[in-house]
């Protein structure tokens, strides 16, 4: 293990957790990741191993059977997992967001019902906000929930669900139009338990997961649509028990999710650097190893600096949230920086590999297809810059 991406001030427990995860990644993920990715195969054995390690309950409070760890610990774990295979971190991420939302906003009954089984990995979560015509404009949401007695009837189509098929619990954002003064106060999050699988769901009439969306990268993990046709959800499955709070609950989930995406970018970039610096010391041209050429050394120096900068930015954003401070500025910066630097570091490593980087035999080919997803997930670079810009104007507003 090199000196890059080290984190000061960790407890002994945090260091032990990271050492265990790093060993798991090196032994159980990296050796099989490329083969599974090329087959677009769900990593069932890896997921079972993560369940045994308790990773699905990493941040869930101990009273509900989890480990009660911080966002920082979780982010550092995700960085290690993404270093092995980014798709595996996606399997954990949406689960983590849903668990965070239930723990932060759920009723006591919802916490007691869901969190212990989520901590054990028996229930696995998916997060459903986006729609085919929605993009970043959440106010344009069209999936609707209408109150009918002691339940709601949901109709609409959702898009880009990570774990859409394999999950057993989906947090779904719908428009409910129950008197809020703005569109953002007329949205509600529903918790829908379902059977894993594709097609019409046998336990939730009207709910359909059509199938996996084919992607250029981020394979292995299933990304899906979700179709709701007169799906009836009990009112006690409104997150928090009160309608109209869904937008704010989802944005809280996205905020911690941005730290997670930053951590994924850090992990992928670190792996790309490791592959690049190793290959540079093996490949010989013009009578010497390419690592001895100044042009390659310049690339390695730039790559390492970006790996280090992104890691430290991500750590700062996580610590802000753990300290109870507002962190949308830092989370936006971290997500933007880490995803952009990840793309650049992966491309430089690809260039160092030369023609071999274009071969599926080499791991960098997989990373080259995975990195672009980070430019989009949890908000594009443009959205992050908009968030950061607005917050900076709040912080530096001049007196008029």
């Amino acid at each position: 293990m090199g000196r890059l991406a080290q984190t000061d001030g960790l407890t002994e427990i945090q260091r032990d957790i990271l050492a265990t995860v790093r060993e798991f990644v090196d032994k159980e993920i990296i050796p099989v990741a490329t083969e599974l990715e090329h087959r677009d195969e769900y990593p069932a054995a890896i997921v079972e191993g993560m369940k045994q390690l308790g990773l699905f309950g990493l941040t869930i409070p101990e009273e509900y059977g989890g480990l009660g760890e911080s966002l920082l610990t979780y982010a550092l774990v995700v960085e290690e997992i993404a270093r092995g295979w980014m798709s595996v971190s996606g399997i954990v991420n949406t689960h983590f967001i849903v668990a965070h939302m239930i723990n932060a906003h759920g009723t006591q009954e919802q916490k007691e019902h869901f969190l212990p089984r989520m901590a054990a990995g028996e229930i696995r979560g998916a997060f459903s906000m986006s729609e085919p015509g929605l993009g970043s404009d959440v106010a344009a949401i069209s999936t609707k929930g209408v109150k009918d007695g002691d339940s709601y009837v949901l109709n609409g189509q959702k898009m880009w669900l990570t774990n859409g098929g394999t999950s057993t619990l989906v947090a779904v954002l719908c428009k409910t139009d129950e008197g809020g003064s703005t569109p953002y106060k007329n949205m509600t999050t529903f918790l829908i338990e379902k059977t894993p699988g594709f097609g019409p769901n046998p336990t939730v009439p009207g709910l359909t997961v059509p199938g996996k969306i084919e992607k250029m990268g981020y394979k292995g993990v299933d990304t899906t649509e979700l179709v709701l046709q007169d799906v009836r959800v009990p009112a006690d499955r409104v997150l928090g028990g009160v309608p109209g709070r869904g937008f704010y609950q989802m944005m809280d989930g996205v905020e911690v999710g941005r730290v997670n995406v930053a951590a994924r970018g850090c992990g992928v970039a670190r792996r790309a650097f490791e592959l690049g610096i190793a290959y540079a010391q093996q490949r010989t041209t013009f009578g010497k190893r390419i690592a001895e050429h100044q042009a390659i050394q310049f690339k390695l120096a730039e790559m390492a600096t970006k790996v280090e900068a992104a890691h430290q930015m991500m750590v700062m954003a996580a610590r802000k949230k753990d300290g109870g401070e507002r962190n949308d500025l830092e989370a936006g910066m971290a997500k933007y920086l880490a995803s952009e630097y990840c793309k650049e570091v992966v491309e430089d490593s690809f260039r160092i590999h030369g023609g071999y980087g274009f071969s599926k035999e080499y791991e960098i080919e997989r990373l080259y297809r995975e990195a672009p997803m980070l430019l989009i997930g949890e908000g594009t670079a443009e959205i992050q810059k908009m968030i950061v810009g607005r917050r900076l104007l709040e912080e530096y507003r001049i007196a008029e």
Side-chain angles (χ1 to χ4, degrees), residues 334-348:
K335 193 277 174 183
Y336 168 61
L337 190 76
S339 58
E340 294 291 335
Y341 276 179
C342 174
K343 177 201 70 169
E344 293 169 11
V345 171
V346 167
E347 182 169 333
D348 279 343

Side-chain angles (χ1 to χ4, degrees), residues 91-319:
I91 292 170
V92 183
N93 180 43
T94 52
H95 176 88
F96 157 72
I97 291 176
V98 175
H100 169 80
M101 290 169 60
I102 293 173
N103 186 52
H105 306 287
T107 65
Q108 189 59 39
E109 185 274 333
Q110 288 168 352
K111 294 178 186 179
E112 293 173 356
H113 179 77
F114 291 113
L115 292 181
R117 289 186 291 157
M118 293 186 81
E122 296 170 7
I123 288 181
R124 294 214 292 278
F127 174 86
S128 179
M129 181 171 66
S130 188
E131 297 182 1
L134 189 62
S136 299
D137 182 13
V138 183
I141 189 171
S142 62
T143 299
K144 195 160 188 176
V146 178
K147 187 76 180 292
D148 182 25
D150 59 356
S151 62
Y152 285 80
V153 178
L154 276 49
N155 282 280
Q157 183 180 3
K158 309 299 283 187
M159 192 71 173
W160 305 119
L161 279 76
T162 301
N163 297 324
T166 50
S167 61
T168 53
L169 172 66
V170 187
V172 183
L173 184 66
C174 299
K175 187 190 330 184
T176 44
D177 291 340
E178 293 189 283
S181 56
T182 71
Y184 301 104
K185 294 182 179 179
N186 280 303
M187 300 182 199
T188 300
T189 303
F190 294 92
L191 302 172
I192 303 177
E193 291 187 80
K194 70 177 186 66
T195 303
F198 300 99
N201 200 268
T203 55
V204 185
L207 186 146
T208 302
V209 178
K212 293 197 300 184
I213 297 170
E214 295 295 328
K215 302 162 295 189
M216 79 171 185
Y218 199 41
K219 294 178 179 288
V221 60
D222 49 297
T223 305
T224 74
E225 298 175 72
L226 182 73
V227 179
L228 304 111
Q229 186 171 5
D230 293 332
V231 173
R232 190 169 289 273
V233 181
D236 64 5
R237 287 297 174 259
V238 168
L239 179 60
V242 180
R245 298 178 180 174
F247 174 78
Y248 307 98
Q249 294 163 347
M250 285 274 174
M251 288 305 104
D252 183 35
V254 167
E255 194 171 284
V256 296
R258 284 182 179 137
V259 175
N260 173 281
V261 172
R264 285 198 247 180
C266 292
V268 173
R270 180 146 58 96
R271 183 60 180 165
F273 171 79
E274 292 171 355
L275 294 171
I277 199 168
Y279 185 81
Q281 295 172 78
Q282 297 162 2
R283 173 73 165 153
T284 299
T285 62
F286 301 102
K288 59 183 178 181
R289 293 175 180 174
I290 64 172
E292 297 175 37
H293 293 291
Q294 190 179 65
I296 299 298
Q297 291 177 9
F298 282 1
K299 273 194 190 302
L300 293 172
E302 292 167 0
M303 292 161 68
T305 302
K306 290 172 182 177
V307 167
E308 186 67 23
H311 173 84
Q312 299 303 337
M313 187 79 230
M314 177 270 291
V315 167
M316 182 178 70
R319 280 182 162 150

Side-chain angles (χ1 to χ4, degrees), residues 10 45 59 61 72 76-77 108 143 160 267 292 322 393:
L10 297 181
T59 61
L72 174 62
L76 295 174
V77 164
Q108 189 59 39
T143 299
W160 305 119
E292 297 175 37
D322 284 334
L393 287 171

